[in-house]
Amino acid sequence: MKAGGRTLYEVTDGNVGRIMDMRWLKTDAARFRLVGVVNRLDRGDFAALTGDTSCGEVRFIYRLAYSFKKNGKVLASRLPFNFSAVFNVAPDADGGCVGVAGRWAPQLDESVDAGWLTGGPLERAALTFKQLELNAQVVRFPSGQETEFGGQAAYVMRIFGIDGSAVSEKPLENTPDTARLAEDAGLKAKLAEYIRTDVAAVDLGVYQIPDQFLAKKVISWSTFGSARQANHPFTPLFQSADFAGLDFSALKLVRTPEALVERLDNGACQGCHQAGSTAGFHFIGFDDKTTSPLNRIEVGISPHLHADIPRREAWLRATAEGKEPNRFRPLSFAPPATWNDAGEVDYAPAEMAMPCLMPEDAARFGATWQCGGGTVCTPLAIVSGVRTKLAQCLLPKDSPKDSKAMFSGHPCLTGSIASNAAQPFNDRYTITGQFAAFAPGISRIAYTCRPPKIGVPAGIAYRGCDDRDHSFAAFKPGKSMPNEICGLVGGKKFDTCVATNNFDQCLGGAVNRGNRPACSADHFCREDYMCQSLPPDTPGIGKVRGIGFCSPTYFIFQMRIDNHATPWSGAVRATMGAGFGAAEAE
């Protein structure tokens, strides 16, 4: 990045790139906290491809967290740095998986304790370590530097094998070494032949590209991650002609060569973790009580994981009953669906601001999904070098600003991204238009369009909170959740008091209120935003238990690597560049 003209620093107050401070991996003030245990017995479908007889996997997900005292206060937060310890699960005595699946059969809820897990599904003797997977934010460019992107971040993805004291790198599953393949025409031709031969497995979503074609380290990129060329590693390698002549008629999802390449892109590590994800992650977990109430998240999983859980449950139920499970995997940005053992998938309509396929893109695939709730599939960015457009289910672009359907947080800008294949950090986003409700000449009835330079990708519709909003008057028991909620906005002062845990100071002047999209465990935020919790002593919070507000990802302090309070310096460095909400606070 430095060679490409991007200046980087570990700790900075200015609008320059910030990199991970490796001292967090050495200090006694930090540790990797277990935030989740994930049943992936359905990964047995992949094990079978290589002759592995295990019954899938169990994953223990750890997230870097720190806690230390300074000036009499406990300073604590998590950081966007995950390790996933993956274990293979031993089969039943007869070599099957019916009993293994049955041990997970009780519906998991808050009453299930660690004793039940370790004495049953997580019995240590049945687990064999497989690998350690890393997904970590390593660079962040603030919105003050990326004024039209609204910020950028880079995430490194690697897999390690561990055998005693020996550590090795392992290939990333189904993720091509794009640079090496681009330089070796013979190797690329062999990969194309593998894809042509195994096209039915790729369509199903259960395939294993041979190691000789795979990368051992990749970087995924946000913002606009689902659309970025760098997160579509197969697209620059193959053209439609490379897969011309294939018979797609019997396939479930893929209908054209273009769809086949998109299917491969989505199955690569960076493709999956930047489409239907939350800031490059699918599992974040919840905060403990040491985390500042102004730095807590309400929903700890991604839209993809939420949508995929019913599929995994259906797979587990069928296996426990000795039936053949439905092995099909949807695209990672697909909405929730109803699954059955006959192999049928019935997608629910995509909710407001959730991903969708434009009609010309959807036509390349088999059964897909529609936008619900009066929304229309609308592209937010046209990207050079990418065949599938970034699109979301949004209000029609000609909706008036005083429309009752308009809400705070709705995108207000469209744009284009000029891709830089060799240096994705130098991709450039250009604003090309506005939604009609925010076009010049329209009277300022209710909502304004807040620009990306304050940290809001694609801009947001914004309306301040009135007395009814402050009291959550629109939230009624038994009624559907309104689209917007009176949340928090901040800025530089907010960043400082969160980092120093000066909660009283925050509430006394650094925190302002403004309307944001409402979110919950069943209703997710759009790409580049995530569901933040309201502080527990917010007046009237009893009306909105379990409901949060959508914040730009990097407005949430724990979702960025830079400017945290540190145990190794004498002063707290927590001021930021252009902080989200600064313009609104004026």
Side-chain angles (χ1 to χ4, degrees):
M1 293 183 189
K2 290 179 181 178
R6 304 306 295 267
T7 305
L8 305 175
Y9 293 95
E10 286 187 350
V11 180
T12 177
D13 295 332
N15 287 319
V16 296
R18 296 92 186 271
I19 64 174
M20 174 73 185
D21 190 327
M22 299 300 285
R23 287 176 290 185
W24 283 119
L25 302 182
K26 300 177 182 179
T27 176
D28 291 339
R31 65 187 178 91
F32 283 96
R33 179 189 301 161
L34 180 65
V35 296
V37 179
V38 184
N39 167 1
R40 291 308 310 270
L41 298 190
D42 65 302
R43 291 277 306 166
D45 292 346
F46 289 81
L49 298 176
T50 60
D52 187 336
T53 59
S54 66
C55 292
E57 301 167 356
V58 171
R59 300 185 176 196
F60 298 82
I61 300 178
Y62 296 83
R63 197 163 180 88
L64 186 60
Y66 66 81
S67 179
F68 60 93
K69 283 190 176 182
K70 180 171 285 190
N71 299 327
K73 290 184 177 293
V74 174
L75 306 181
S77 180
R78 297 188 296 168
L79 294 165
F81 198 109
N82 275 20
F83 271 119
S84 180
V86 183
F87 289 78
N88 286 329
V89 182
D92 300 331
D94 63 2
C97 297
V98 173
V100 172
R103 287 199 288 274
W104 286 92
Q107 200 68 62
L108 290 176
D109 56 35
E110 294 179 358
S111 66
V112 173
D113 61 15
W116 178 84
L117 283 168
T118 57
L122 302 184
E123 183 182 3
R124 186 64 185 87
L127 304 179
T128 303
F129 178 76
K130 178 182 179 182
Q131 61 197 28
L132 191 65
E133 300 177 351
L134 170 67
N135 185 14
Q137 185 186 120
V138 289
V139 175
R140 192 178 77 85
F141 298 112
S143 59
Q145 184 182 22
E146 298 282 357
T147 56
E148 294 202 332
F149 258 127
Q152 281 201 77
Y155 299 80
V156 65
M157 309 182 79
R158 302 176 72 181
I159 299 178
F160 301 98
I162 301 175
D163 184 6
S165 61
V167 178
S168 61
E169 286 186 295
K170 301 182 71 173
L172 295 165
E173 184 176 273
N174 294 333
T175 302
D177 188 334
T178 305
R180 184 162 55 90
L181 287 161
E183 294 176 355
D184 189 333
L187 189 64
K188 187 174 77 168
K190 289 180 180 179
L191 175 58
E193 181 58 29
Y194 161 78
I195 294 169
R196 284 192 292 267
T197 301
D198 219 23
V199 64
V202 174
D203 176 73
L204 187 66
V206 181
Y207 59 99
Q208 191 79 57
I209 295 176
D211 289 356
Q212 63 176 316
F213 305 114
L214 304 181
K216 292 184 177 179
K217 178 172 68 175
V218 296
I219 303 291
S220 76
W221 292 89
S222 71
T223 51
F224 294 92
S226 64
R228 301 284 288 275
Q229 186 189 55
N231 299 328
H232 290 252
F234 286 91
T235 290
L237 291 173
F238 297 113
Q239 301 300 316
S240 299
D242 291 312
F243 303 114
L246 286 176
D247 182 5
F248 298 104
S249 61
L251 302 185
K252 189 178 189 69
L253 178 67
V254 173
R255 290 287 185 268
T256 67
E258 294 86 356
L260 175 59
V261 174
E262 176 62 26
R263 175 62 147 170
L264 290 162
D265 281 340
N266 190 247
C269 289
Q270 64 269 56
C272 178
H273 277 268
Q274 289 292 348
S277 70
T278 298
F281 297 97
H282 290 304
F283 200 110
I284 299 165
F286 293 114
D287 302 294
D288 65 14
K289 294 181 180 179
T290 66
T291 302
S292 166
L294 300 174
N295 184 31
R296 296 178 187 171
I297 60 173
E298 185 67 32
V299 179
I301 63 174
S302 71
H304 162 66
L305 179 51
H306 169 72
D308 203 43
I309 286 174
R311 181 195 66 79
R312 299 180 190 182
E313 289 177 338
W315 190 101
L316 187 69
R317 183 170 55 252
T319 301
E321 294 173 357
K323 301 177 181 177
E324 184 70 13
N326 184 342
R327 303 186 190 280
F328 175 72
R329 266 73 173 171
L331 297 165
S332 71
F333 51 88
T338 300
W339 297 79
N340 63 40
D341 299 341
E344 298 171 347
V345 181
D346 183 16
Y347 292 106
E351 292 191 345
M352 178 81 74
M354 290 293 101
C356 56
L357 290 166
M358 292 295 291
E360 61 270 28
D361 293 326
R364 301 169 180 167
F365 293 89
T368 54
W369 60 92
Q370 304 296 320
C371 290
T375 61
V376 177
C377 193
T378 305
L380 286 181
I382 306 301
V383 187
S384 67
V386 175
R387 302 183 185 103
T388 303
K389 298 182 182 69
L390 166 68
Q392 294 177 7
C393 295
L394 303 173
L395 296 174
K397 291 188 70 175
D398 58 356
S399 295
K401 189 182 297 189
D402 59 349
S403 167
K404 292 183 179 179
M406 182 56 69
F407 63 95
S408 289
H410 191 283
C412 57
L413 299 170
T414 57
S416 63
I417 298 175
S419 302
N420 187 323
Q423 298 177 337
F425 48 88
N426 282 328
D427 285 1
R428 283 292 166 260
Y429 179 88
T430 302
I431 296 171
T432 58
Q434 289 183 312
F435 283 74
F438 305 97
I442 302 294
S443 61
R444 297 168 65 88
I445 297 172
Y447 295 91
T448 58
C449 179
R450 312 310 291 157
K453 67 181 181 181
I454 65 169
V456 290
I460 60 166
Y462 174 73
R463 180 177 68 84
C465 298
D466 58 24
D467 290 343
R468 282 180 52 81
D469 298 321
H470 277 282
S471 66
F472 306 117
F475 291 81
K476 306 289 186 182
K479 300 291 185 180
S480 59
M481 186 177 74
N483 282 331
E484 61 184 16
I485 187 172
C486 187
L488 306 180
V489 297
K492 292 182 181 180
K493 292 181 180 179
F494 179 85
D495 290 334
T496 302
C497 62
V498 171
T500 58
N501 200 20
N502 199 333
F503 188 50
D504 295 336
Q505 177 188 340
C506 288
L507 295 182
V511 173
N512 293 283
R513 301 287 293 278
N515 276 297
R516 296 284 175 265
C519 52
S520 69
D522 297 313
H523 300 279
F524 285 77
C525 304
R526 65 179 166 107
E527 184 172 351
D528 297 319
Y529 295 75
M530 67 183 299
C531 197
Q532 185 172 0
S533 295
L534 286 161
D537 58 352
T538 301
I541 196 170
K543 294 182 180 179
V544 291
R545 295 290 184 193
I547 299 173
F549 60 99
C550 293
S551 285
T553 301
Y554 305 119
F555 171 61
I556 301 175
F557 208 67
Q558 63 170 285
M559 297 306 295
R560 58 195 192 215
I561 54 172
D562 54 284
N563 288 80
H564 288 257
T566 64
W568 51 79
S569 61
V572 172
R573 301 286 298 279
T575 56
M576 295 292 294
F580 173 62
E584 296 153 7
E586 293 173 356

